[in-house]
Amino acid sequence: NLVERTIPIPRKRKSALSGAKLLEMVETSLDNDKAEDIVVIDLAGKTEIADYMVIATGQSSRQVGAMAEHLRQKAKDAGIADVAVEGASQCDWVLIDAGDVLIHLFRPEVRDFYGLEKLWTVPDVVAGTAATGTQAATHA
């Protein structure tokens, strides 16, 4: 007699800090740690897993690890109990799930290889042309 078990799909977790406030804390921490090429992607309407995705670069595994640890500690201090961190053993690419904000920290060559921000910022395609949100230059 088999009993069917349903595993719920993970949904966005609410945290003590939410959305914009958490994003502000993340950006401040990364700025203090001298992160480079910080990109914030608004995920509203694209997915339910988080409100924002932050992608940043550290120049070495040591810097990436330090940034990850600082973010984890600041999130914990802000009352976010269940911060998930993946990739901290190698520090080439560290993912931090802080609930409303997902943070990806990379070494430069790893970030270039995966091109993660390109996956989330694909331009809209309209009538065979790419609409990137900027006006196309017209030549008269």
Side-chain angles (χ1 to χ4, degrees):
N1 189 358
L2 294 174
V3 176
E4 186 176 320
R5 293 188 333 196
T6 305
I7 300 172
I9 297 172
R11 298 284 185 233
K12 182 172 63 170
R13 293 177 287 141
K14 288 296 177 190
S15 62
L17 277 182
S18 63
K21 290 283 189 191
L22 179 57
L23 177 62
E24 183 180 327
M25 186 270 299
V26 168
E27 289 178 303
T28 299
S29 180
L30 291 173
D31 189 50
N32 290 343
D33 286 340
K34 307 291 190 249
E36 297 179 0
D37 301 321
I38 300 170
V39 173
V40 175
I41 300 170
D42 187 348
L43 297 178
K46 295 178 184 175
T47 182
E48 291 186 11
I49 60 172
D51 292 337
Y52 300 97
M53 179 184 300
V54 178
I55 303 170
T57 300
Q59 287 303 307
S60 66
S61 296
R62 183 177 218 150
Q63 183 185 13
V64 169
M67 291 187 306
E69 178 55 27
H70 294 157
L71 283 168
R72 188 198 63 75
Q73 187 60 50
K74 287 177 182 176
K76 182 180 174 186
D77 292 347
I80 304 170
D82 55 346
V83 177
V85 179
E86 296 289 331
S89 61
Q90 299 232 334
C91 295
D92 291 329
W93 175 2
V94 178
L95 168 63
I96 303 165
D97 181 352
D100 289 341
V101 179
L102 296 175
I103 305 112
H104 295 270
L105 305 174
F106 290 98
R107 284 189 308 105
E109 59 275 10
V110 178
R111 183 175 179 171
D112 289 343
F113 179 79
Y114 287 103
L116 186 62
E117 57 263 49
K118 292 176 188 164
L119 295 174
W120 287 92
T121 58
V122 176
D124 295 330
V125 177
V126 179
T129 62
T132 60
T134 59
Q135 295 289 329
T138 57
H139 299 283

